Amino acid sequence: MSWQQRIDAALNERRAADAFRHRLAVEHGAGRWLQRDGECWLNFSSNDYLGLSQHPQAVSAWQDGAARYGVGSGGSGHVSGYTVAHQQLETSLAEWLGYPRALLFISGFAANQAVIAALAGKDDRLVADRLSHASLLEAASLSPAQLRRFTHNDVSHLQRLLATAPDGQQLAITEGIFSMDGDAAPLADIHAATRASGAWLMVDDAHGIGITGAQGRGSCDAQNVRPELLVVTFGKAFGQSGAAVLCSDAVADYLLQFARHLIYSTAMPPAQAVALSAALEIIRSDDGEQRRD
């Protein structure tokens, strides 16, 4: 079968299953309203949970940042793309969430892939919730480490999988709030199980950050848990895009050396970092509290 025949067969199979994906251009797709072809729809499809993509303070901050820095970063953060705007955002995120360090990534997908690819070796074991996001499961599947999946939110199953240690280390992986069903992980029990086995815990809190916990600090704060690795993304409650990994000083230094998605990607525009800092201020403010309510 040729390349073209393989592609045609896959597309025809997808069409036959009535599962062919396509995109529709909209005039406006974020915030409360979706506009297309002159019609206005109440928008339940957006990730913009708090409407911050439209917030005047965030929009103005991005405009001011673009006027100061331009519309791009100019390179990897390891060359010339790391500005004081990025540094200030990292510092604010770390202070807000109670971690020594924060590292910015261009997307949540990239952050999850980078952490797992940089940490997991052939003697290690990754134990992931079966309903974890595709970015987590794909990275785990592609890594040289052994992958085991535990039944969704089943701490006893997680404990059984962690009970027999591999030659290397173990990393438990879960989301804070699951993107499809909207249910929350029992993070306190999961963290207790990982600590009892000597494993580390990685939590992707894309859908919890900005929404749950005091000041919107997320699922881990709400359950009084501080995992070794916390991934927060900015495409949901922050109303923008990008992500950050919260971790220790040593892990941050390690990722700066070995996380290829961080090293070899052009950094997010500094104007975006300015806008994200503004979004963080809103989330922490009375305005943010009212939006969460």
PDB file of all heavy atoms in Angstrom, residues 37-74:
ATOM      1  N   ASP A  37     -21.497  33.611  10.879  1.00  0.00           N
ATOM      2  CA  ASP A  37     -22.458  33.876   9.799  1.00  0.00           C
ATOM      3  C   ASP A  37     -23.571  34.830  10.234  1.00  0.00           C
ATOM      4  O   ASP A  37     -24.748  34.640   9.905  1.00  0.00           O
ATOM      5  CB  ASP A  37     -23.069  32.561   9.292  1.00  0.00           C
ATOM      6  CG  ASP A  37     -22.052  31.662   8.614  1.00  0.00           C
ATOM      7  OD1 ASP A  37     -21.008  32.193   8.186  1.00  0.00           O
ATOM      8  OD2 ASP A  37     -22.297  30.449   8.529  1.00  0.00           O
ATOM      9  N   GLY A  38     -23.186  35.832  11.004  1.00  0.00           N
ATOM     10  CA  GLY A  38     -24.138  36.848  11.397  1.00  0.00           C
ATOM     11  C   GLY A  38     -25.059  36.456  12.526  1.00  0.00           C
ATOM     12  O   GLY A  38     -25.933  37.239  12.916  1.00  0.00           O
ATOM     13  N   GLU A  39     -24.902  35.254  13.068  1.00  0.00           N
ATOM     14  CA  GLU A  39     -25.740  34.804  14.178  1.00  0.00           C
ATOM     15  C   GLU A  39     -24.918  34.767  15.464  1.00  0.00           C
ATOM     16  O   GLU A  39     -23.695  34.598  15.447  1.00  0.00           O
ATOM     17  CB  GLU A  39     -26.322  33.419  13.895  1.00  0.00           C
ATOM     18  CG  GLU A  39     -27.301  33.392  12.736  1.00  0.00           C
ATOM     19  CD  GLU A  39     -27.938  32.017  12.572  1.00  0.00           C
ATOM     20  OE1 GLU A  39     -27.197  31.081  12.199  1.00  0.00           O
ATOM     21  OE2 GLU A  39     -29.155  31.889  12.813  1.00  0.00           O
ATOM     22  N   CYS A  40     -25.592  34.904  16.589  1.00  0.00           N
ATOM     23  CA  CYS A  40     -24.941  34.928  17.902  1.00  0.00           C
ATOM     24  C   CYS A  40     -25.479  33.783  18.749  1.00  0.00           C
ATOM     25  O   CYS A  40     -26.703  33.596  18.861  1.00  0.00           O
ATOM     26  CB  CYS A  40     -25.210  36.264  18.588  1.00  0.00           C
ATOM     27  SG  CYS A  40     -24.241  36.533  20.077  1.00  0.00           S
ATOM     28  N   TRP A  41     -24.567  33.012  19.318  1.00  0.00           N
ATOM     29  CA  TRP A  41     -24.939  31.812  20.083  1.00  0.00           C
ATOM     30  C   TRP A  41     -24.365  31.895  21.493  1.00  0.00           C
ATOM     31  O   TRP A  41     -23.235  32.340  21.696  1.00  0.00           O
ATOM     32  CB  TRP A  41     -24.385  30.555  19.404  1.00  0.00           C
ATOM     33  CG  TRP A  41     -24.780  30.404  17.965  1.00  0.00           C
ATOM     34  CD1 TRP A  41     -24.205  31.015  16.886  1.00  0.00           C
ATOM     35  CD2 TRP A  41     -25.836  29.593  17.457  1.00  0.00           C
ATOM     36  NE1 TRP A  41     -24.845  30.636  15.737  1.00  0.00           N
ATOM     37  CE2 TRP A  41     -25.847  29.766  16.043  1.00  0.00           C
ATOM     38  CE3 TRP A  41     -26.779  28.747  18.047  1.00  0.00           C
ATOM     39  CZ2 TRP A  41     -26.753  29.112  15.228  1.00  0.00           C
ATOM     40  CZ3 TRP A  41     -27.679  28.096  17.222  1.00  0.00           C
ATOM     41  CH2 TRP A  41     -27.672  28.284  15.834  1.00  0.00           C
ATOM     42  N   LEU A  42     -25.128  31.446  22.469  1.00  0.00           N
ATOM     43  CA  LEU A  42     -24.599  31.278  23.817  1.00  0.00           C
ATOM     44  C   LEU A  42     -23.544  30.176  23.778  1.00  0.00           C
ATOM     45  O   LEU A  42     -23.794  29.076  23.300  1.00  0.00           O
ATOM     46  CB  LEU A  42     -25.723  30.907  24.788  1.00  0.00           C
ATOM     47  CG  LEU A  42     -25.373  30.908  26.278  1.00  0.00           C
ATOM     48  CD1 LEU A  42     -24.849  32.262  26.728  1.00  0.00           C
ATOM     49  CD2 LEU A  42     -26.597  30.540  27.098  1.00  0.00           C
ATOM     50  N   ASN A  43     -22.329  30.479  24.275  1.00  0.00           N
ATOM     51  CA  ASN A  43     -21.157  29.653  24.003  1.00  0.00           C
ATOM     52  C   ASN A  43     -20.857  28.699  25.167  1.00  0.00           C
ATOM     53  O   ASN A  43     -20.341  29.124  26.195  1.00  0.00           O
ATOM     54  CB  ASN A  43     -19.951  30.565  23.741  1.00  0.00           C
ATOM     55  CG  ASN A  43     -18.744  29.812  23.259  1.00  0.00           C
ATOM     56  OD1 ASN A  43     -18.781  28.592  23.085  1.00  0.00           O
ATOM     57  ND2 ASN A  43     -17.655  30.524  23.042  1.00  0.00           N
ATOM     58  N   PHE A  44     -21.168  27.419  24.976  1.00  0.00           N
ATOM     59  CA  PHE A  44     -20.812  26.396  25.961  1.00  0.00           C
ATOM     60  C   PHE A  44     -19.624  25.548  25.504  1.00  0.00           C
ATOM     61  O   PHE A  44     -19.303  24.542  26.121  1.00  0.00           O
ATOM     62  CB  PHE A  44     -22.016  25.483  26.242  1.00  0.00           C
ATOM     63  CG  PHE A  44     -23.069  26.121  27.102  1.00  0.00           C
ATOM     64  CD1 PHE A  44     -24.141  26.790  26.533  1.00  0.00           C
ATOM     65  CD2 PHE A  44     -22.975  26.083  28.485  1.00  0.00           C
ATOM     66  CE1 PHE A  44     -25.115  27.393  27.318  1.00  0.00           C
ATOM     67  CE2 PHE A  44     -23.939  26.681  29.276  1.00  0.00           C
ATOM     68  CZ  PHE A  44     -25.012  27.329  28.693  1.00  0.00           C
ATOM     69  N   SER A  45     -18.988  25.942  24.402  1.00  0.00           N
ATOM     70  CA  SER A  45     -17.906  25.136  23.849  1.00  0.00           C
ATOM     71  C   SER A  45     -16.519  25.674  24.185  1.00  0.00           C
ATOM     72  O   SER A  45     -15.512  25.033  23.903  1.00  0.00           O
ATOM     73  CB  SER A  45     -18.038  25.057  22.316  1.00  0.00           C
ATOM     74  OG  SER A  45     -17.883  26.339  21.740  1.00  0.00           O
ATOM     75  N   SER A  46     -16.448  26.845  24.787  1.00  0.00           N
ATOM     76  CA  SER A  46     -15.170  27.496  25.021  1.00  0.00           C
ATOM     77  C   SER A  46     -14.526  27.025  26.328  1.00  0.00           C
ATOM     78  O   SER A  46     -15.206  26.684  27.290  1.00  0.00           O
ATOM     79  CB  SER A  46     -15.370  29.012  25.074  1.00  0.00           C
ATOM     80  OG  SER A  46     -14.198  29.664  25.500  1.00  0.00           O
ATOM     81  N   ASN A  47     -13.184  27.049  26.348  1.00  0.00           N
ATOM     82  CA  ASN A  47     -12.430  26.807  27.585  1.00  0.00           C
ATOM     83  C   ASN A  47     -12.290  28.074  28.430  1.00  0.00           C
ATOM     84  O   ASN A  47     -11.726  28.018  29.526  1.00  0.00           O
ATOM     85  CB  ASN A  47     -11.010  26.318  27.262  1.00  0.00           C
ATOM     86  CG  ASN A  47     -10.993  24.956  26.623  1.00  0.00           C
ATOM     87  OD1 ASN A  47     -11.874  24.141  26.848  1.00  0.00           O
ATOM     88  ND2 ASN A  47      -9.978  24.701  25.821  1.00  0.00           N
ATOM     89  N   ASP A  48     -12.745  29.190  27.917  1.00  0.00           N
ATOM     90  CA  ASP A  48     -12.527  30.486  28.560  1.00  0.00           C
ATOM     91  C   ASP A  48     -13.477  30.648  29.744  1.00  0.00           C
ATOM     92  O   ASP A  48     -14.409  31.451  29.722  1.00  0.00           O
ATOM     93  CB  ASP A  48     -12.741  31.576  27.505  1.00  0.00           C
ATOM     94  CG  ASP A  48     -12.383  32.965  27.981  1.00  0.00           C
ATOM     95  OD1 ASP A  48     -11.738  33.087  29.043  1.00  0.00           O
ATOM     96  OD2 ASP A  48     -12.760  33.933  27.295  1.00  0.00           O
ATOM     97  N   TYR A  49     -13.222  29.865  30.801  1.00  0.00           N
ATOM     98  CA  TYR A  49     -14.181  29.691  31.889  1.00  0.00           C
ATOM     99  C   TYR A  49     -14.582  30.986  32.578  1.00  0.00           C
ATOM    100  O   TYR A  49     -15.735  31.143  32.979  1.00  0.00           O
ATOM    101  CB  TYR A  49     -13.618  28.724  32.929  1.00  0.00           C
ATOM    102  CG  TYR A  49     -13.378  27.323  32.428  1.00  0.00           C
ATOM    103  CD1 TYR A  49     -12.313  26.566  32.912  1.00  0.00           C
ATOM    104  CD2 TYR A  49     -14.203  26.746  31.471  1.00  0.00           C
ATOM    105  CE1 TYR A  49     -12.088  25.284  32.459  1.00  0.00           C
ATOM    106  CE2 TYR A  49     -13.983  25.464  31.007  1.00  0.00           C
ATOM    107  CZ  TYR A  49     -12.921  24.733  31.512  1.00  0.00           C
ATOM    108  OH  TYR A  49     -12.695  23.475  31.055  1.00  0.00           O
ATOM    109  N   LEU A  50     -13.643  31.901  32.757  1.00  0.00           N
ATOM    110  CA  LEU A  50     -13.927  33.141  33.489  1.00  0.00           C
ATOM    111  C   LEU A  50     -14.105  34.336  32.556  1.00  0.00           C
ATOM    112  O   LEU A  50     -14.305  35.454  33.035  1.00  0.00           O
ATOM    113  CB  LEU A  50     -12.799  33.432  34.483  1.00  0.00           C
ATOM    114  CG  LEU A  50     -12.540  32.371  35.551  1.00  0.00           C
ATOM    115  CD1 LEU A  50     -11.401  32.795  36.475  1.00  0.00           C
ATOM    116  CD2 LEU A  50     -13.799  32.085  36.361  1.00  0.00           C
ATOM    117  N   GLY A  51     -14.019  34.107  31.262  1.00  0.00           N
ATOM    118  CA  GLY A  51     -14.174  35.208  30.310  1.00  0.00           C
ATOM    119  C   GLY A  51     -12.991  36.154  30.271  1.00  0.00           C
ATOM    120  O   GLY A  51     -13.119  37.290  29.795  1.00  0.00           O
ATOM    121  N   LEU A  52     -11.819  35.704  30.711  1.00  0.00           N
ATOM    122  CA  LEU A  52     -10.679  36.624  30.798  1.00  0.00           C
ATOM    123  C   LEU A  52     -10.058  36.936  29.446  1.00  0.00           C
ATOM    124  O   LEU A  52      -9.291  37.901  29.332  1.00  0.00           O
ATOM    125  CB  LEU A  52      -9.611  36.057  31.740  1.00  0.00           C
ATOM    126  CG  LEU A  52     -10.028  35.885  33.205  1.00  0.00           C
ATOM    127  CD1 LEU A  52      -8.816  35.636  34.083  1.00  0.00           C
ATOM    128  CD2 LEU A  52     -10.799  37.103  33.706  1.00  0.00           C
ATOM    129  N   SER A  53     -10.373  36.149  28.406  1.00  0.00           N
ATOM    130  CA  SER A  53      -9.854  36.491  27.085  1.00  0.00           C
ATOM    131  C   SER A  53     -10.402  37.830  26.609  1.00  0.00           C
ATOM    132  O   SER A  53      -9.805  38.483  25.747  1.00  0.00           O
ATOM    133  CB  SER A  53     -10.214  35.403  26.066  1.00  0.00           C
ATOM    134  OG  SER A  53     -11.598  35.415  25.768  1.00  0.00           O
ATOM    135  N   GLN A  54     -11.556  38.238  27.171  1.00  0.00           N
ATOM    136  CA  GLN A  54     -12.193  39.487  26.789  1.00  0.00           C
ATOM    137  C   GLN A  54     -12.026  40.589  27.848  1.00  0.00           C
ATOM    138  O   GLN A  54     -12.533  41.691  27.669  1.00  0.00           O
ATOM    139  CB  GLN A  54     -13.697  39.266  26.566  1.00  0.00           C
ATOM    140  CG  GLN A  54     -14.046  38.030  25.777  1.00  0.00           C
ATOM    141  CD  GLN A  54     -13.457  38.047  24.390  1.00  0.00           C
ATOM    142  OE1 GLN A  54     -13.643  39.005  23.657  1.00  0.00           O
ATOM    143  NE2 GLN A  54     -12.750  36.997  24.021  1.00  0.00           N
ATOM    144  N   HIS A  55     -11.338  40.282  28.937  1.00  0.00           N
ATOM    145  CA  HIS A  55     -11.264  41.245  30.034  1.00  0.00           C
ATOM    146  C   HIS A  55     -10.432  42.461  29.617  1.00  0.00           C
ATOM    147  O   HIS A  55      -9.307  42.313  29.133  1.00  0.00           O
ATOM    148  CB  HIS A  55     -10.633  40.582  31.259  1.00  0.00           C
ATOM    149  CG  HIS A  55     -10.864  41.318  32.533  1.00  0.00           C
ATOM    150  ND1 HIS A  55     -10.265  42.525  32.813  1.00  0.00           N
ATOM    151  CD2 HIS A  55     -11.644  41.024  33.620  1.00  0.00           C
ATOM    152  CE1 HIS A  55     -10.648  42.943  34.002  1.00  0.00           C
ATOM    153  NE2 HIS A  55     -11.491  42.054  34.512  1.00  0.00           N
ATOM    154  N   PRO A  56     -10.959  43.670  29.803  1.00  0.00           N
ATOM    155  CA  PRO A  56     -10.223  44.868  29.364  1.00  0.00           C
ATOM    156  C   PRO A  56      -8.815  44.965  29.951  1.00  0.00           C
ATOM    157  O   PRO A  56      -7.887  45.423  29.271  1.00  0.00           O
ATOM    158  CB  PRO A  56     -11.114  46.021  29.849  1.00  0.00           C
ATOM    159  CG  PRO A  56     -12.473  45.434  29.967  1.00  0.00           C
ATOM    160  CD  PRO A  56     -12.276  44.003  30.370  1.00  0.00           C
ATOM    161  N   GLN A  57      -8.639  44.526  31.189  1.00  0.00           N
ATOM    162  CA  GLN A  57      -7.326  44.614  31.828  1.00  0.00           C
ATOM    163  C   GLN A  57      -6.325  43.691  31.154  1.00  0.00           C
ATOM    164  O   GLN A  57      -5.158  44.061  30.939  1.00  0.00           O
ATOM    165  CB  GLN A  57      -7.460  44.268  33.312  1.00  0.00           C
ATOM    166  CG  GLN A  57      -6.189  44.448  34.125  1.00  0.00           C
ATOM    167  CD  GLN A  57      -6.429  44.164  35.612  1.00  0.00           C
ATOM    168  OE1 GLN A  57      -7.532  44.389  36.121  1.00  0.00           O
ATOM    169  NE2 GLN A  57      -5.422  43.668  36.299  1.00  0.00           N
ATOM    170  N   ALA A  58      -6.759  42.477  30.783  1.00  0.00           N
ATOM    171  CA  ALA A  58      -5.873  41.538  30.111  1.00  0.00           C
ATOM    172  C   ALA A  58      -5.577  41.987  28.684  1.00  0.00           C
ATOM    173  O   ALA A  58      -4.434  41.896  28.213  1.00  0.00           O
ATOM    174  CB  ALA A  58      -6.493  40.136  30.114  1.00  0.00           C
ATOM    175  N   VAL A  59      -6.601  42.465  27.989  1.00  0.00           N
ATOM    176  CA  VAL A  59      -6.409  42.936  26.613  1.00  0.00           C
ATOM    177  C   VAL A  59      -5.451  44.123  26.590  1.00  0.00           C
ATOM    178  O   VAL A  59      -4.527  44.194  25.760  1.00  0.00           O
ATOM    179  CB  VAL A  59      -7.772  43.313  25.985  1.00  0.00           C
ATOM    180  CG1 VAL A  59      -7.569  43.976  24.624  1.00  0.00           C
ATOM    181  CG2 VAL A  59      -8.652  42.073  25.849  1.00  0.00           C
ATOM    182  N   SER A  60      -5.642  45.064  27.504  1.00  0.00           N
ATOM    183  CA  SER A  60      -4.780  46.238  27.564  1.00  0.00           C
ATOM    184  C   SER A  60      -3.341  45.849  27.890  1.00  0.00           C
ATOM    185  O   SER A  60      -2.388  46.412  27.329  1.00  0.00           O
ATOM    186  CB  SER A  60      -5.310  47.220  28.608  1.00  0.00           C
ATOM    187  OG  SER A  60      -4.461  48.338  28.747  1.00  0.00           O
ATOM    188  N   ALA A  61      -3.177  44.867  28.783  1.00  0.00           N
ATOM    189  CA  ALA A  61      -1.831  44.430  29.147  1.00  0.00           C
ATOM    190  C   ALA A  61      -1.109  43.835  27.943  1.00  0.00           C
ATOM    191  O   ALA A  61       0.091  44.078  27.738  1.00  0.00           O
ATOM    192  CB  ALA A  61      -1.912  43.416  30.282  1.00  0.00           C
ATOM    193  N   TRP A  62      -1.837  43.039  27.138  1.00  0.00           N
ATOM    194  CA  TRP A  62      -1.214  42.460  25.938  1.00  0.00           C
ATOM    195  C   TRP A  62      -0.819  43.578  24.959  1.00  0.00           C
ATOM    196  O   TRP A  62       0.279  43.554  24.371  1.00  0.00           O
ATOM    197  CB  TRP A  62      -2.170  41.468  25.269  1.00  0.00           C
ATOM    198  CG  TRP A  62      -1.489  40.540  24.298  1.00  0.00           C
ATOM    199  CD1 TRP A  62      -0.578  40.868  23.339  1.00  0.00           C
ATOM    200  CD2 TRP A  62      -1.643  39.118  24.218  1.00  0.00           C
ATOM    201  NE1 TRP A  62      -0.174  39.753  22.657  1.00  0.00           N
ATOM    202  CE2 TRP A  62      -0.803  38.668  23.167  1.00  0.00           C
ATOM    203  CE3 TRP A  62      -2.420  38.200  24.902  1.00  0.00           C
ATOM    204  CZ2 TRP A  62      -0.731  37.320  22.804  1.00  0.00           C
ATOM    205  CZ3 TRP A  62      -2.343  36.863  24.541  1.00  0.00           C
ATOM    206  CH2 TRP A  62      -1.500  36.432  23.510  1.00  0.00           C
ATOM    207  N   GLN A  63      -1.684  44.550  24.784  1.00  0.00           N
ATOM    208  CA  GLN A  63      -1.372  45.660  23.885  1.00  0.00           C
ATOM    209  C   GLN A  63      -0.159  46.443  24.376  1.00  0.00           C
ATOM    210  O   GLN A  63       0.734  46.787  23.584  1.00  0.00           O
ATOM    211  CB  GLN A  63      -2.595  46.577  23.765  1.00  0.00           C
ATOM    212  CG  GLN A  63      -3.764  45.939  23.041  1.00  0.00           C
ATOM    213  CD  GLN A  63      -5.044  46.741  23.162  1.00  0.00           C
ATOM    214  OE1 GLN A  63      -5.219  47.515  24.117  1.00  0.00           O
ATOM    215  NE2 GLN A  63      -5.956  46.572  22.204  1.00  0.00           N
ATOM    216  N   ASP A  64      -0.103  46.707  25.673  1.00  0.00           N
ATOM    217  CA  ASP A  64       1.043  47.419  26.235  1.00  0.00           C
ATOM    218  C   ASP A  64       2.315  46.594  26.091  1.00  0.00           C
ATOM    219  O   ASP A  64       3.393  47.127  25.793  1.00  0.00           O
ATOM    220  CB  ASP A  64       0.797  47.744  27.706  1.00  0.00           C
ATOM    221  CG  ASP A  64      -0.309  48.767  27.918  1.00  0.00           C
ATOM    222  OD1 ASP A  64      -0.672  49.459  26.945  1.00  0.00           O
ATOM    223  OD2 ASP A  64      -0.821  48.862  29.046  1.00  0.00           O
ATOM    224  N   GLY A  65       2.190  45.263  26.314  1.00  0.00           N
ATOM    225  CA  GLY A  65       3.346  44.395  26.166  1.00  0.00           C
ATOM    226  C   GLY A  65       3.850  44.351  24.745  1.00  0.00           C
ATOM    227  O   GLY A  65       5.069  44.345  24.492  1.00  0.00           O
ATOM    228  N   ALA A  66       2.926  44.334  23.774  1.00  0.00           N
ATOM    229  CA  ALA A  66       3.326  44.328  22.365  1.00  0.00           C
ATOM    230  C   ALA A  66       4.008  45.635  21.996  1.00  0.00           C
ATOM    231  O   ALA A  66       4.977  45.649  21.227  1.00  0.00           O
ATOM    232  CB  ALA A  66       2.104  44.084  21.488  1.00  0.00           C
ATOM    233  N   ALA A  67       3.509  46.747  22.533  1.00  0.00           N
ATOM    234  CA  ALA A  67       4.138  48.032  22.254  1.00  0.00           C
ATOM    235  C   ALA A  67       5.560  48.083  22.812  1.00  0.00           C
ATOM    236  O   ALA A  67       6.452  48.692  22.210  1.00  0.00           O
ATOM    237  CB  ALA A  67       3.291  49.160  22.848  1.00  0.00           C
ATOM    238  N   ARG A  68       5.781  47.394  23.940  1.00  0.00           N
ATOM    239  CA  ARG A  68       7.110  47.423  24.561  1.00  0.00           C
ATOM    240  C   ARG A  68       8.048  46.393  23.960  1.00  0.00           C
ATOM    241  O   ARG A  68       9.210  46.692  23.668  1.00  0.00           O
ATOM    242  CB  ARG A  68       6.978  47.179  26.070  1.00  0.00           C
ATOM    243  CG  ARG A  68       8.318  47.087  26.782  1.00  0.00           C
ATOM    244  CD  ARG A  68       8.158  46.866  28.278  1.00  0.00           C
ATOM    245  NE  ARG A  68       9.460  46.722  28.924  1.00  0.00           N
ATOM    246  CZ  ARG A  68       9.637  46.469  30.228  1.00  0.00           C
ATOM    247  NH1 ARG A  68       8.564  46.367  31.026  1.00  0.00           N
ATOM    248  NH2 ARG A  68      10.842  46.336  30.735  1.00  0.00           N
ATOM    249  N   TYR A  69       7.543  45.158  23.749  1.00  0.00           N
ATOM    250  CA  TYR A  69       8.423  44.054  23.364  1.00  0.00           C
ATOM    251  C   TYR A  69       8.272  43.620  21.906  1.00  0.00           C
ATOM    252  O   TYR A  69       9.078  42.821  21.422  1.00  0.00           O
ATOM    253  CB  TYR A  69       8.125  42.820  24.232  1.00  0.00           C
ATOM    254  CG  TYR A  69       8.443  42.989  25.690  1.00  0.00           C
ATOM    255  CD1 TYR A  69       7.429  43.229  26.620  1.00  0.00           C
ATOM    256  CD2 TYR A  69       9.750  42.892  26.163  1.00  0.00           C
ATOM    257  CE1 TYR A  69       7.700  43.357  27.974  1.00  0.00           C
ATOM    258  CE2 TYR A  69      10.044  43.021  27.506  1.00  0.00           C
ATOM    259  CZ  TYR A  69       9.008  43.256  28.414  1.00  0.00           C
ATOM    260  OH  TYR A  69       9.293  43.382  29.747  1.00  0.00           O
ATOM    261  N   GLY A  70       7.215  44.084  21.214  1.00  0.00           N
ATOM    262  CA  GLY A  70       6.902  43.531  19.910  1.00  0.00           C
ATOM    263  C   GLY A  70       5.983  42.332  20.054  1.00  0.00           C
ATOM    264  O   GLY A  70       5.502  42.030  21.151  1.00  0.00           O
ATOM    265  N   VAL A  71       5.741  41.631  18.946  1.00  0.00           N
ATOM    266  CA  VAL A  71       4.750  40.549  18.965  1.00  0.00           C
ATOM    267  C   VAL A  71       5.384  39.165  19.044  1.00  0.00           C
ATOM    268  O   VAL A  71       4.669  38.158  19.039  1.00  0.00           O
ATOM    269  CB  VAL A  71       3.826  40.636  17.732  1.00  0.00           C
ATOM    270  CG1 VAL A  71       3.012  41.917  17.776  1.00  0.00           C
ATOM    271  CG2 VAL A  71       4.623  40.553  16.430  1.00  0.00           C
ATOM    272  N   GLY A  72       6.688  39.063  19.116  1.00  0.00           N
ATOM    273  CA  GLY A  72       7.351  37.765  19.239  1.00  0.00           C
ATOM    274  C   GLY A  72       8.497  37.827  20.221  1.00  0.00           C
ATOM    275  O   GLY A  72       8.926  38.911  20.634  1.00  0.00           O
ATOM    276  N   SER A  73       8.989  36.647  20.614  1.00  0.00           N
ATOM    277  CA  SER A  73      10.087  36.590  21.584  1.00  0.00           C
ATOM    278  C   SER A  73      11.455  36.576  20.925  1.00  0.00           C
ATOM    279  O   SER A  73      12.465  36.864  21.574  1.00  0.00           O
ATOM    280  CB  SER A  73       9.940  35.352  22.467  1.00  0.00           C
ATOM    281  OG  SER A  73      10.060  34.172  21.676  1.00  0.00           O
ATOM    282  N   GLY A  74      11.519  36.184  19.659  1.00  0.00           N
ATOM    283  CA  GLY A  74      12.795  36.230  18.947  1.00  0.00           C
ATOM    284  C   GLY A  74      13.675  35.025  19.101  1.00  0.00           C
ATOM    285  O   GLY A  74      14.743  34.950  18.485  1.00  0.00           O
TER     286      GLY A  74
END
